[in-house]
């Protein structure tokens, strides 16, 4: 895998391209009329590693936008701490403060209608991200958008990491040489659409790729490193010498599994993740993580900011920002493995 320095340089280059693609064709009339905007951002949990990475990119994108367009951008970022009522209150506060646009990572994707009611009453556009509301809610208004990344694509790519590894050297996955790769599965929240889809398609990709697999067990760790570590510790005791592969719905849970393996002095078990978080990429570089599937965080945050500023300033949508059904923007994934 290229060094972290080269990876960061690549991201910077991608951001420059993405920024001009996303905002470069927008008109300047709105910028001339309005010199400052306020964006309310509510995160379902501020301690989520992936969201913290996106938050950092969003803040950087806002600064770049200010320099490029001469429009001050105030990001009011709040942590809902996993509580939907808290998030509802945050949205009310954003609206009372006169935020020009809302960017919401919903605690409960099925409860988005309450947030939409508040936004529509105030005529304030909403950009949901990371957790996609149900279609009925998304269709309620033409100023509701979603920025995310296709869950199935990430799972298929994750599965392909294992398929490629098995085809290259079966012994690295089939540690006991019995002709079967025995795996355990760490899942995110049971109600999260990405968790359900990633679980299904990562395993299906292994089957389609001809990898002989056997599931030993699985469990819900809610995207959290500590919960994944606790589960993995139990499984190592229950299935001594049998676990050969750990499939994880995200990098944090993959790192939790590695934590448990290190405490137990276990080596050789393959672990794969999804998200391409900063610690996840470092784990790939060090060889602890077999691979991950990375989102282009710069493009992801750039898309959120481009839609938000366009709505706040009254710009016409950029034709190069390609939406599905006029309101869904999906960022691409890429495989990251150590070269």
């Amino acid at each position: 895998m290229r060094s972290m320095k080269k990876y960061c340089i690549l991201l910077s280059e991608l951001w420059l391209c993405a920024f001009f693609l996303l905002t470069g064709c927008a008109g300047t009339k709105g910028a001339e009329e309005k010199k400052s905007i306020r964006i309310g951002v509510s995160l379902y949990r501020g301690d989520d590693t992936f969201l913290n990475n996106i938050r950092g990119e969003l803040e950087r994108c806002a600064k770049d936008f200010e320099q490029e367009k001469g429009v001050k951008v105030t990001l009011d970022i709040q942590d809902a701490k996993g509580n939907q009522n808290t998030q509802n209150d945050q949205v009310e506060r954003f609206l009372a403060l006169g935020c020009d646009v809302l960017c919401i990572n919903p605690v409960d994707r099925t409860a988005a209608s309450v947030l939409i009611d508040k936004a529509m009453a105030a005529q304030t556009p909403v950009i949901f991200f990371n957790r996609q509301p149900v279609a009925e809610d998304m269709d309620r208004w033409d100023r509701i958008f979603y920025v995310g990344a296709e869950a199935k694509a990430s799972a298929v790519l994750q599965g392909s990491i294992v398929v490629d590894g098995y085809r290259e050297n079966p012994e690295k996955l089939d540690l006991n040489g019995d002709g079967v790769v025995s795996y355990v599965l760490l899942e995110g929240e049971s109600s999260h659409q990405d968790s359900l889809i990633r679980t299904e398609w990562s395993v299906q990709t292994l089957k389609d790729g001809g990898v002989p697999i056997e599931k030993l067990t699985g469990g819900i760790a809610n995207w959290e490193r500590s919960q994944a570590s606790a589960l993995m510790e139990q499984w190592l005791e229950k299935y001594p010498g049998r676990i050969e592969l750990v499939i994880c719905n995200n990098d944090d849970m993959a790192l939790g599994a590695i934590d448990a393996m290190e405490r137990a002095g276990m080596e050789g078990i393959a672990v794969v993740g999804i998200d391409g978080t900063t610690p996840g990429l470092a784990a790939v570089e060090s060889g602890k993580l077999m691979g991950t599937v990375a989102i282009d965080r710069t493009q992801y945050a750039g898309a959120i900011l481009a839609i938000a500023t366009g709505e706040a300033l009254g710009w016409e949508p950029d034709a190069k920002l390609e939406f599905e059904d006029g309101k869904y923007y999906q960022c691409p994934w890429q495989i990251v493995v150590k070269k």
Side-chain angles (χ1 to χ4, degrees), residues 14-179:
L14 286 171
W15 158 243
L16 289 174
C17 293
F19 183 82
F20 288 114
L21 283 174
L22 298 175
T23 63
C25 295
T28 58
K29 183 174 184 296
E32 295 171 357
E33 294 177 347
K34 198 169 187 176
K35 289 299 183 181
S36 66
I37 60 175
R38 188 182 188 96
I39 302 173
V41 183
S42 178
L43 305 177
Y44 99 100
R45 277 186 54 178
D47 60 356
D48 183 276
T49 305
F50 174 75
L51 292 175
N52 266 318
N53 286 169
I54 297 300
R55 173 180 180 163
E57 283 297 313
L58 188 60
E59 291 171 336
R60 189 176 69 81
C61 291
K63 290 179 182 178
D64 288 349
F65 181 86
E66 287 181 338
Q67 294 177 356
E68 174 71 20
K69 300 296 184 181
V71 178
K72 180 175 176 55
V73 179
T74 299
L75 294 177
D76 188 347
I77 303 177
Q78 299 294 319
D79 179 4
K81 300 183 184 299
N83 188 303
Q84 186 61 59
N85 290 330
T86 298
Q87 188 166 69
N88 294 347
D89 292 341
Q90 288 171 352
V91 168
E92 288 185 358
R93 175 181 171 276
F94 290 152
L95 296 174
L97 290 172
C99 285
D100 299 284
V101 62
L102 305 177
C103 297
I104 302 174
N105 166 222
V107 173
D108 181 355
R109 62 184 288 265
T110 64
S113 59
V114 175
L115 306 176
I116 292 171
D117 287 340
K118 299 178 187 297
M120 289 179 67
Q123 289 295 295
T124 303
V126 186
I127 303 161
F128 291 102
F129 63 98
N130 183 246
R131 292 167 174 244
Q132 184 177 325
V134 298
E136 292 80 3
D137 285 334
M138 291 293 300
D139 291 340
R140 291 181 58 193
W141 193 26
D142 60 3
R143 302 192 76 184
I144 300 173
F145 303 89
Y146 176 73
V147 173
E150 188 182 7
K152 179 180 176 180
S154 69
V156 170
L157 290 176
Q158 182 188 53
S160 70
I161 293 173
V162 179
V163 171
D164 291 345
Y166 184 81
R167 289 175 178 172
E168 181 179 342
N169 188 350
E171 289 77 15
K172 282 191 175 182
L173 285 162
D174 181 12
L175 301 178
N176 59 14
D178 66 353

Side-chain angles (χ1 to χ4, degrees), residues 173-191:
L173 285 162
D174 181 12
L175 301 178
N176 59 14
D178 66 353
V180 177
V181 177
S182 299
Y183 74 94
V184 295
L185 182 62
L186 285 163
E187 303 178 50
E189 293 168 281
S190 59
S191 61

Side-chain angles (χ1 to χ4, degrees), residues 7 11 14 50 53-54 57 130 147-150 154 157 198 251 274-277 281 292-301 329-336:
Y7 186 78
L11 280 182
L14 286 171
F50 174 75
N53 286 169
I54 297 300
E57 283 297 313
N130 183 246
V147 173
E150 188 182 7
S154 69
L157 290 176
R198 288 177 182 181
D251 285 351
I274 293 177
D275 279 346
T277 62
L281 294 173
T292 186
V293 185
I295 189 68
D296 186 334
R297 289 174 276 172
T298 301
Q299 184 172 344
Y300 194 110
Y329 184 81
Q330 302 287 356
C331 293
W333 296 96
Q334 59 182 343
I335 287 174
V336 181

